[in-house]
Amino acid sequence: MEDSTEDYDGERVVNAQEVYLLMNDDYKISRNSRINWYLSHLNSSSPISCHNEEGPRSLLDFNDKVVYRVTPSTVLMFLARAYRFVYVLDLSPSITAVDLHSGTVLLDEAFIKLQRSLKSLTKSFKLPGSEVKFVPKIYITVLCHTSLISCKENEVLLQGCLVTEENLDTILDQLRRDLESFENRMASSFEEITDLDYYEQAEGDKITFGLFEDSLDREDTSDPAMYVMSPEASFINLLRYDHSLFESLMMQLRHHTISCSFLQLGSGFQLQSGLGHVPYPELMEFIAEATNGVYYSKLPDVDMDVEGMLPLQQSILTQRLQKLLNISGFFMSQTPQDIPRIEISSQDENLVSSVHTRKHKERNLHISLSTLISCRLRDGYFIKNVSLIKGDSQIEVRLVLPWRPGVNINCVAVSVWPINANKCLSHIEISVEGSYHFITDITSHLKHKGFHNSYRVGLVLTYWQTIQSMSESDELLVHLHSFAANVVNYKVADSLKQGVPLFYLPPNQTSPQVNIQLSTKDNTLSQFATFWKPVLNLDINIWQKWMHTHRIGFILEHDVPLGKHLHIPNSSGRFHNATCRQASAALNFFLRDYSTFVLMENHSYVTLLPRDEDKPPWSFFVIRVASKPPCVVLRLAFLGDTPGHVRDEIITDLKKQLSVLRFLQRSPKKDDKNKMNISRRSSRHELEVKKHIPPLQRVSSEIPCCVLTSKPVEKILIR
Amino acid sequence: MTKSSIRSPKGPTVVNGILMGYSDDVLANLLTVKAKLCASKFELKIDDVVFIGHPLLLHPVSQETAKRELVTMISFNVVIALLAPIDREILMCYHNLTKQLAIALRHEERRCGLLSEQKRTIWSIQDEIAARPEDSQESPYGPILEKCRLSQQLKHVYDELCSSGVVQLYINKWVHINWCLPHKLHNLYMKDTSHTDTPTHVARPVFRPQKFLIEALRPYHGMLLLIDATTLLDSLPIDASPSLVRLIKVTSPFKSLQTLASDADISLRQVYQLVGHLVYWRKATIIFPLCEANVYVLSPNINTFVNSSLVEKCEESFPNVSLPVILSEFSVPSSLGDHKDVLGLPQQQAQEVQVVTWLLQHGLLVQLHTYVLMTPKFCKSWRQTSHHSVGTDDITDRTRLLSSNSDLNSTASDDSYSLGGRSLEAICDNEDNGPWCPQPEQILAGIRAMRNNKIGALDNQEELTLLARLCPYFDGKHHLEEIMYAENIRRSQLLTILDKFRDILITSQHEDPVISAWLYGAGIKRSRTS
C-alpha cells in the first residue's frame, strides 16, 4: 500500500499506492464528490487522516505516526456497503449442447458457475492493509432467460434476496431445485417444437435468435436505490438481436451505472463445436470492459481460506477511480493471427496492423475540471491516468471511452494546478484511436457519403453522432454551470416570484414560448429566459449526464365524491373514469409555492439554492413533473457539484411535505397559502389523533393527496 | 450400443458395417470398465477392430447409494467399432462423438431417468420374446428398434455417420448433439471432383483442420460459400450465433476477410473463427477475392472426362455453358481479366464470373500467385559490396534454370508448381546460413553499384526507396497479394517496380501453399469410411 516515504511536519508521510474508500450508507456518493475528493487530496499538503469529511470514508488502518498522501499514481478504490446483483441465466436451446472439454452439458455448468460466483461474493474478507473484516450486503436476483416462448415457467427464481455466508447453502439448494424444474419445463415445451419436424429444424419463428455460449450475465450496481430489471430481460434480447441497438444498450448501462460481467460457459471457440455455435467473446469482453465489469472465461473454485479479497471480489466489488489498463485486454489484439511482422528498418510505419490516432478537436471550456471529468465519467469514460505537468503547474487527466471493440475515444483534459475555484477553465482535446481500416472508414465517409453496406454505414454514422453529441453535451454543461456567474441568471422578477410561469405551451404547438403575461420587451427577462430555456428542454432520459437526478414517485388520491358510473354504465352506456383533479391541483399549488419560480405550469419548477434570498444562489434544482394520473413522478435534477447531504436533506424534506399534503379547501375564500401552511404544520398531529375517521366522512382538507411509492410502479402501468 | 464398420477376412472383425465374431456377452464384458477408468477415453484394439468409446459413471460415487436404494445401473459406455488401422485424428473425432452421446445420455438419465426407462423397455421385450414358444422366437432387435426411442436415435446416429458424416439430433428431444466428421465431409467433396475410377489414389495426407485452418488465414484471403447463403442460413440451428448470420449475409467472393469484418462490423479475429468454422463443416472454402488479376489453372487431380457427372451438374446451373470448353480455357494459366469478353454484354460478363465461382466451389481451379525473388547475380553483387562470402555460382545456375522453367512451363501440373515452390525456398535457405535480411541502405548501394556498372542510369529515387522497402518480401515466400496488403500499396505500383527492376527480380507463379495444403490434403484414407 505504500511506496515511498518522506517526512512531513515531523510525521512520516507515506505516498499511498492504493486507497480504499468505503462509501456512505445513506445516500449515493456521486462521481462528482469522488472526483472532488480525489482532486482535493491529490498531492495535498494535508494528508489523509482517519477523520472523515463528508463523502467517502477511508478505511485505512491508521496509526498516529504515519500519514498517507494521495499522489497521481495512487489508485482509489471505492467500496459500497450494499450491492445488488442480477444474474441473468441465458437458457436458450443451445444451452443443452455438450461441452467436450469440461465433460458436461452446458446447463449443468451454469449452476456450477452460479454457485461459485455466489460463494466468492458472499465471503467476508479483510481489506489489504487492515484488520477490518468487511462483509457487504449482497442482494441477488436470479432470472432465467429462455427464448422458448411456449415455456410458461416463472422466469424469476429469486428476487432481491439478501445472501450471506450463513444462508447461502439453503439458497443454493433452492436455486438448484428451481433450475431443475425450469429445465423440465423448457424440455417439454421444446419437445412440442421439435415434434413438428423431428430431426430437421425447430420452427424459427417460435424461438428468437440466440447468442450461443454466453451464459450468465450479471449486472451489479452499488446504487442502493432500486433498479428494476425489465421483466423480459431486455438486455439479453438486445445482445442477441442486432448490434444496431448496441449503442442505446451501452448508453443505458452507462447512465444507470450498471456494470455488466459475464461468466462464460463451455470452453470457448473450438473448431469441432457444433454447427452455428461460435461464441463471440470479444463483444462480451468489450461490454464488460466498457461498463466496468469483468468477463470470466474461467471461474475457479473458491478457496475459502483466503483472508483477503478473492479475485472475483476484487474485480466486482471495488470500483476503481482509475481504470486498470491491461494492454492486451483493453485494446483487444485485433489480429492475433495476422502476418508475422517482417522487420523493416525503413522509417515507414506499417499502415495496416498498427493502431492509428486521429485528432478531432481541441477547445477551452469554462467549467471546472472536476465538473468536466464527472460529466465524462457519466458518459462512460474512464480515467486512464492523471499527471502533473509543466513543473506541477498544470494537471492533465487522460480519459478514455471504449467505444467499440478496438476503437477508443480519448479525451485529454488539462487545467491549472492547484485547482483554483474561481478560475474555471479546462482545455480538452478529443481524439480517436482505432485500426487503420476503421479510421479510413470514418474519414472517407466525410468526403463521399457512403458504402453500400448497412452495418458499415451504421457504424460510421453512429460514430459521428457520438462525436457530435459529445460537443453538444459539453456546451450544455458549460451553459448550466454558467448559472452562478451572471446575476441575470438568478435574479427572479417579482411577477415570477408570485407564481407566474416563465414559459407556457401555446395550444397546437410543441415548443414552449415565453409567457406573454410577462413584459417580453424587458432585456433582462429575455436573457433570463435564454438561460432557462435549455433547462426546460432537458431530456429526462439522459439528463443524469449533466445533473444529479432523483425521483419521487407517488399515487394521487382520487377525487371525492367518485363518479357514479364507475362500475355501472350511465344512460348512454358509458363509464366514468376515476379522476384525480383535486389532488393534481393541490400538488400544483404546492409545487408553485415550494419552488422559487415556475418554469412551466404543471411541468417544471425551479428552486434556487440556498433558498435564503439574501445570499446570491450558487446552485439550483429543477423539479420536473411527469404525470400520468394517478401515478405521478417528480424528477429532481440538481446542478453538478451539489453535495450529497444537501440533496439528501432536500429530498427527505420534500417527501415529508408531500406525504402530509392535503386536498385544497373547497371554499376558495381563504388565502390558499396560509391554509396550506397551517394544514402542513398541524396535519401530522391531527392525523395521529383522528386516525379512524371513515374516508367518506373526512372533510376535504383532511384527505391526503398522495401515497408515496418506493418502486417505480409507473413502469408497469397499463396505459 | 455398438456400432460398426467394414470388411476383412477371418477372426473378429467388421464386415459390411457389421461387427462379427463376438457374442453379446463377450462384448458386454469387453466394453464395461471399472469405475476408475470412467470419464476418460476408452480405446481397445483387438486384431483388426478398434473400439473407441467414452464410459461414464451414472452418479458420482458419493451420491450413488444415497440417491437410489436399488442401483441396477452404475456405469455405461458408448462405443464405436472401427476397422484398424485408423488415423489418430479421425479416431479423436469419433471419440468426440461418443463422448457427446455419453454425456448427453447421462444428463438425461439424471434429469428424467431416460436410460433406466429404456432399459426396462428393452428387458420387457426380451422377456416377451424369450417367453414365446421356441419355434416363433425371433431376434429381439427388430421389436426393440420399433419400440425403444433410444435405439432409434442411436440407429439414426449410425446411419448418418455412414452416409453423410454429420450427426445432428436432439437426444430425448432435448440435449443437442451437433457433430461432424470433417475428413469424411471433405473426402466426399473430393470424390465428386476426382477420378472415380482410380482406386490406387489413396495415400493422401489427412485433413488436419486445426493445423491448417485458423492459423493459415490472412486478412487478404476471401471466403467462398460452397452452398447457397439462404440454404446455409436455414440449416443453422435455431439459436446460432448472430455474428455468423451476419457474416453469411454480407459475404461475397469479391470481398477479403478484412472487408467482411468491416462490413459485418465484427472483429477480424471473430471472422477468422467463423470462417474456420464454416470450412470445418465444409460450408465454405478459402479463396482469394475474385479480381481481374487473379490467375487460375485447372486443378491437377480433377475429373476431366467429358461424360462426368460434373458436366451435367454444370449444365443445370448454366444451360448455355459447356464445362469441357471452360475447363480447356483454363488448361493454361490465365487471368480473369484475360477471360473477360470486353465486347460482351454486362450479363455475359457477370455470368463468366459466376462460372468461375462455380468452378472454384467445385474445386476445379487453383489459383496461381506471383512470387518474387532477387536474382542471385544481384545478391552476389550486393554481397560483394557488403563484403559477404560469395560462392553462390552453383545456385545461380540452378535458379536460372528454374526461372526459365517456370516461364515456359506454366502449363504444368501442380507437381512442377510445388517443386518450383520448394526449390525456391530451398535456394533461399541455402543461400546464406541465416535469414536473409539486408538493410535497405545496402540494397540501395547494391543497386547503384550494379546500375552504374551495367546500365549507368539511376532510377527514380522514390522507386528505389520503395524497392528497398519491399526487399524483405522478395525471398520467394511472399506473393504479390500479401505484399500489397502488408505494405498497403497498389498492384500497379508493385508491377511497376517488378517491371523497372526486372534485371534484378525473378518472378515465378505457383499456388499459395496455405490454400493448397488443405485443399489437396483434404482426403482421408478411403479404407476407413463405412
Side-chain angles (χ1 to χ4, degrees), chain A residues 91-105 107-108 147-148 180 183-188 190-191 194-195 198-204 207-212 239-244 269-282 285 332-346 348 350-353 404-405 435-438 441 451 453-456 459, chain B residues 56 95-97 99-101 103-104 106-108 110-112 149 152-153 156 168-180 209-211 213-215 217-220 232-246 249-250 255 258-259 262-270 272-274 276-278 280-281 283 437-441 465 468-469 472-473 478 482 484-488:
Chain A
L91 302 182
S92 46
S94 55
I95 195 83
T96 65
V98 176
D99 182 50
L100 289 172
H101 190 254
S102 64
T104 54
V105 173
L107 191 63
D108 295 337
S147 41
L148 293 168
E180 275 166 12
E183 185 191 352
N184 289 336
R185 280 304 306 245
M186 280 198 301
S188 55
F190 192 64
E191 206 168 300
T194 42
D195 269 347
Y198 187 54
Y199 287 126
E200 295 291 309
Q201 157 92 62
E203 286 286 319
I207 307 169
T208 48
F209 270 160
L211 190 75
F212 168 53
L239 253 190
R240 277 156 194 283
Y241 263 112
D242 222 315
H243 310 230
S244 52
F269 174 73
Q270 279 167 341
L271 271 179
Q272 64 263 34
S273 54
L275 180 64
H277 293 167
V278 186
Y280 189 8
E282 273 163 285
E285 272 166 26
M332 269 166 246
S333 51
Q334 276 281 288
T335 49
Q337 288 104 17
D338 208 344
I339 316 166
R341 297 297 333 132
I342 297 170
E343 285 303 322
I344 298 168
S345 45
S346 82
D348 289 62
N350 186 284
L351 278 168
V352 181
S353 59
R404 281 299 152 94
S435 68
Y436 170 76
H437 298 277
F438 178 77
D441 273 4
F451 309 93
N453 180 283
S454 61
Y455 297 122
R456 205 164 172 174
L459 185 74
Chain B
L56 279 183
H95 174 242
N96 281 346
L97 175 64
K99 194 173 175 183
Q100 278 198 27
L101 286 169
I103 292 166
R106 184 181 61 183
H107 181 84
E108 285 305 279
R110 285 184 189 169
R111 186 173 74 86
C112 54
R149 275 184 299 143
Q152 287 162 9
Q153 289 202 313
H156 174 79
Q168 284 178 307
L169 81 161
Y170 293 94
I171 291 283
N172 199 25
K173 299 177 185 173
W174 180 231
V175 182
H176 197 184
I177 302 293
N178 194 343
W179 176 91
C180 79
Q210 298 285 14
K211 196 169 169 221
L213 285 179
I214 303 274
E215 287 168 23
L217 288 177
R218 296 286 178 268
Y220 49 78
L232 178 55
L233 285 175
D234 289 344
S235 72
L236 292 179
I238 41 197
D239 55 350
S241 317
S243 58
L244 182 64
V245 175
R246 269 166 80 138
K249 280 183 184 162
V250 300
K255 291 178 184 169
Q258 176 65 57
T259 317
S262 302
D263 279 357
D265 188 14
I266 312 175
S267 74
L268 190 58
R269 173 157 54 172
Q270 181 68 5
Y272 286 167
Q273 294 191 345
L274 293 170
H277 179 75
L278 288 175
Y280 182 90
W281 281 82
K283 305 289 182 196
C437 44
Q439 297 298 308
E441 303 82 42
T465 325
R469 196 173 105 197
Y473 297 100
H478 304 275
E482 181 177 340
M484 282 158 56
Y485 177 82
E487 289 299 320
N488 200 27

Side-chain angles (χ1 to χ4, degrees), chain A residues 96-355:
Chain A
T96 65
V98 176
D99 182 50
L100 289 172
H101 190 254
S102 64
T104 54
V105 173
L106 290 181
L107 191 63
D108 295 337
E109 207 186 327
F111 180 75
I112 298 172
K113 289 274 165 90
L114 178 67
Q115 187 179 25
R116 283 183 185 167
S117 66
L118 276 179
K119 262 190 193 167
S120 310
L121 283 177
T122 50
K123 199 182 98 54
S124 62
F125 58 90
K126 279 179 187 168
L127 283 172
S130 101
E131 286 301 309
V132 186
K133 197 110 179 168
F134 184 61
V135 194
K137 284 180 186 152
I138 308 272
Y139 296 90
I140 66 158
T141 299
V142 180
L143 299 175
C144 290
H145 174 84
T146 175
S147 41
L148 293 168
I149 288 161
S150 54
C151 179
K152 298 286 194 300
E153 183 78 10
N154 183 10
E155 294 181 331
V156 183
L157 303 189
L158 202 63
Q159 189 179 4
C161 180
L162 177 66
V163 188
T164 59
E165 274 179 295
E166 289 74 43
N167 72 3
L168 180 66
D169 290 333
T170 334
I171 287 178
L172 282 174
D173 269 354
Q174 182 60 38
L175 277 176
R176 188 205 303 271
R177 277 196 297 278
D178 289 348
L179 206 56
E180 275 166 12
S181 80
F182 194 82
E183 185 191 352
N184 289 336
R185 280 304 306 245
M186 280 198 301
S188 55
S189 54
F190 192 64
E191 206 168 300
E192 290 163 25
I193 297 168
T194 42
D195 269 347
L196 302 175
D197 195 353
Y198 187 54
Y199 287 126
E200 295 291 309
Q201 157 92 62
E203 286 286 319
D205 57 347
K206 286 206 175 179
I207 307 169
T208 48
F209 270 160
L211 190 75
F212 168 53
E213 77 316 326
D214 72 307
S215 61
L216 309 137
D217 309 72
R218 191 196 344 213
E219 319 205 351
D220 75 328
T221 159
S222 55
D223 176 5
M226 79 262 107
Y227 174 78
V228 175
M229 271 293 289
S230 53
E232 79 286 2
S234 57
F235 174 66
I236 287 205
N237 280 334
L238 282 174
L239 253 190
R240 277 156 194 283
Y241 263 112
D242 222 315
H243 310 230
S244 52
L245 296 163
F246 189 77
E247 198 61 30
S248 77
L249 162 77
M250 294 305 293
M251 206 132 83
Q252 281 182 37
L253 288 177
R254 283 164 175 159
H255 286 164
H256 292 283
T257 338
I258 298 166
S259 45
C260 177
S261 301
F262 295 87
L263 301 177
Q264 178 192 305
L265 295 186
S267 39
F269 174 73
Q270 279 167 341
L271 271 179
Q272 64 263 34
S273 54
L275 180 64
H277 293 167
V278 186
Y280 189 8
E282 273 163 285
L283 182 68
M284 283 174 281
E285 272 166 26
F286 170 78
I287 295 175
E289 191 90 48
T291 58
N292 233 338
V294 196
Y295 181 89
Y296 290 97
S297 51
K298 288 198 194 89
L299 195 64
D301 208 357
V302 189
D303 181 3
M304 297 308 271
D305 298 334
V306 180
E307 280 204 326
M309 291 174 102
L310 294 167
L312 184 92
Q313 292 175 317
Q314 177 80 44
S315 50
I316 286 189
L317 297 183
T318 62
Q319 300 173 337
R320 284 164 168 269
L321 185 69
Q322 299 96 328
K323 183 82 180 166
L324 186 69
L325 284 179
N326 74 50
I327 302 302
S328 61
F330 187 70
F331 206 95
M332 269 166 246
S333 51
Q334 276 281 288
T335 49
Q337 288 104 17
D338 208 344
I339 316 166
R341 297 297 333 132
I342 297 170
E343 285 303 322
I344 298 168
S345 45
S346 82
Q347 63 277 33
D348 289 62
E349 205 191 340
N350 186 284
L351 278 168
V352 181
S353 59
S354 59
V355 171

Side-chain angles (χ1 to χ4, degrees), chain A residues 495-496 498-504 513-518 592 597-602 604-605:
Chain A
S495 54
L496 286 174
Q498 284 156 17
V500 182
L502 180 59
F503 292 97
Y504 79 110
Q513 305 280 321
V514 179
N515 200 338
I516 34 174
Q517 290 175 18
L518 302 161
R592 186 205 291 175
F597 68 97
V598 183
L599 260 188
M600 197 158 97
E601 188 74 38
N602 205 7
S604 295
Y605 300 84

